[in-house]
């Protein structure tokens, strides 16, 4: 009998950075004739499970697409419920992050978030600032095109100020101008709910990420499937456009 549920994983070949598009909360709820918000509530339980699993496996970076710039256009009641849920999650999971040496980071147009959420977010980020076993990145009010526009503005500012020569701009330096500065590109991107889209998520950073689409709706996504996906990832050959060695 197996001693653990991840005996088949090679701990030396785990991704450094996993990114997840957590999709299907609404459909999960609709299938049960529940309000969509119930789907988001159940979805935040899946968030907890995946955070704990990453930490246990020593995966150092996890990025979750929790709220996109486009999500602001959802009905007001749903946006407000998502903000309340996020605030609650940050408060209830603070202990998990402190006990497990997890640092919280947020990326996106954070200034658009309601004051209460921003306050909780900054408090949790401050309290977990020195944790260094794992970084949990929440993409909040995040859109990759907006991130790229911000990157261009920052570069243009540096050029105008004479700090940067346009001729020296290279792809190596772009990451320093993105919200993910100092974070390695995702090795693995997972999208739940059967949709085969990227939806404005980390467009620059996923250039060479392995992508895994699953039909599972996010509230049904759990540890077992996550470990299965990691096994699948370990079976892939990453060539980065080159020929096999
Ligand atoms: C997509 O499902 C999911 C979201 C827009 C929000 C994700 C939020 C959570 C998982 C919970 C709160 C987050 C944290 C970090 C605690 P959808 O509503 O688009 O589903 P649908 O496509 O079936 O309608």
């Amino acid at each position: 009998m197996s001693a653990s549920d991840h005996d088949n994983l090679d701990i030396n070949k785990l991704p450094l950075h996993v990114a997840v598009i957590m999709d299907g909360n609404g459909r999960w709820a609709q299938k049960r004739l529940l309000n969509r918000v119930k789907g988001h509530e159940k979805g935040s339980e899946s968030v907890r499970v995946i955070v704990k699993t990453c930490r246990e496996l020593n995966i150092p970076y996890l990025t979750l697409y929790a709220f996109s710039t486009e999500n602001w256009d959802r009905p007001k009641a749903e946006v407000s419920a998502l903000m309340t849920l996020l605030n609650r999650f940050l408060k209830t999971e603070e202990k998990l992050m402190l006990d497990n040496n997890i640092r919280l980071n947020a990326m996106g147009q954070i200034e658009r978030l309601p004051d209460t959420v921003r306050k909780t977010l900054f408090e949790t980020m401050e309290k977990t600032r020195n944790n260094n076993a794992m970084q949990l990145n929440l993409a909040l009010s995040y859109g990759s095109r907006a991130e790229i526009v911000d990157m261009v503005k920052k570069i243009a500012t540096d050029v105008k100020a004479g700090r940067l020569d346009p001729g020296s701009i290279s792809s190596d330096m772009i990451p320093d101008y993105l919200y993910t500065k100092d974070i390695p590109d995702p090795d693995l991107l997972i999208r739940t709910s059967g949709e085969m889209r990227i939806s404005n998520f980390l467009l620059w950073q996923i250039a060479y990420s392995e992508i895994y689409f699953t039909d599972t709706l996010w509230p049904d996504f759990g540890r077992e499937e996550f470990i299965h996906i990691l096994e699948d990832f370990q079976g892939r050959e990453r060539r980065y456009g080159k020929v096999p060695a």
Side-chain angles (χ1 to χ4, degrees):
M1 210 178 88
S2 257
S4 79
D5 60 357
H6 54 273
D7 277 355
N8 293 331
L9 279 179
D10 178 350
I11 55 156
N12 299 312
K13 260 185 76 178
L14 283 168
L16 273 186
H17 184 176
V18 176
V20 188
I21 303 176
M22 312 182 287
D23 196 10
N25 294 350
R27 276 163 286 165
W28 182 93
Q30 276 154 3
K31 266 173 50 181
R32 289 163 178 77
L33 304 179
L34 296 169
N35 187 295
R36 293 174 56 83
V37 174
K38 291 281 172 210
H40 298 312
E41 280 176 15
K42 190 76 170 49
S44 52
E45 290 176 29
S46 306
V47 170
R48 184 178 319 118
V49 171
I50 297 312
V51 170
K52 280 167 104 169
T53 309
C54 278
R55 178 64 194 91
E56 187 190 324
L57 296 173
N58 277 318
I59 292 175
Y61 296 94
L62 174 66
T63 299
L64 301 175
Y65 205 177
F67 195 85
S68 71
T69 42
E70 292 71 27
N71 288 156
W72 289 115
D73 295 329
R74 290 194 175 197
K76 240 177 127 180
E78 184 174 343
V79 170
S80 156
L82 271 167
M83 292 299 143
T84 305
L85 202 55
L86 181 65
N87 204 42
R88 196 194 306 160
F89 174 88
L90 293 169
K91 284 185 183 286
T92 56
E93 303 312 318
E94 181 186 294
K95 185 166 167 17
L96 173 87
M97 293 185 246
L98 290 172
D99 289 350
N100 289 282
N101 198 9
I102 299 171
R103 175 183 178 165
L104 179 75
N105 180 50
M107 54 184 210
Q109 296 174 335
I110 305 302
E111 66 285 355
R112 293 179 73 184
L113 298 173
D115 289 349
T116 42
V117 178
R118 260 207 339 263
K119 183 166 174 285
T120 312
L121 197 58
F122 286 133
E123 278 170 8
T124 317
M125 279 167 36
E126 180 54 30
K127 283 185 193 162
T128 62
R129 191 161 59 97
N130 295 317
N131 290 352
N132 59 11
M134 172 179 156
Q135 182 162 321
L136 170 61
N137 292 314
L138 293 183
L140 287 172
S141 187
Y142 173 87
S144 187
R145 287 186 170 178
E147 180 186 26
I148 288 171
V149 169
D150 280 349
M151 175 261 285
V152 172
K153 284 183 185 163
K154 285 183 223 160
I155 290 182
T157 306
D158 278 358
V159 168
K160 196 173 170 199
R163 288 187 291 265
L164 185 65
D165 165 17
S168 73
I169 297 173
S170 70
S171 63
D172 288 349
M173 44 170 283
I174 300 296
D176 288 342
Y177 289 88
L178 295 172
Y179 303 157
T180 47
K181 179 174 168 10
D182 297 327
I183 300 174
D185 288 343
D187 302 292
L188 173 63
L189 170 68
I190 300 170
R191 182 174 189 145
T192 58
S193 92
E195 308 290 355
M196 308 237 192
R197 292 189 285 275
I198 299 302
S199 302
N200 201 15
F201 192 44
L202 302 174
L203 297 177
W204 175 278
Q205 297 89 336
I206 60 167
Y208 287 101
S209 303
E210 295 297 324
I211 305 186
Y212 193 104
F213 294 106
T214 169
D215 286 339
T216 305
L217 303 175
W218 177 251
D220 290 326
F221 190 83
R223 177 185 170 96
E224 195 180 336
E225 182 167 13
F226 185 43
I227 289 173
H228 166 77
I229 293 172
L230 293 171
E231 286 169 7
D232 178 273
F233 167 82
Q234 295 193 327
R236 297 196 191 181
E237 186 188 25
R238 302 183 75 193
R239 291 204 294 269
Y240 302 94
K242 303 184 180 71
V243 291

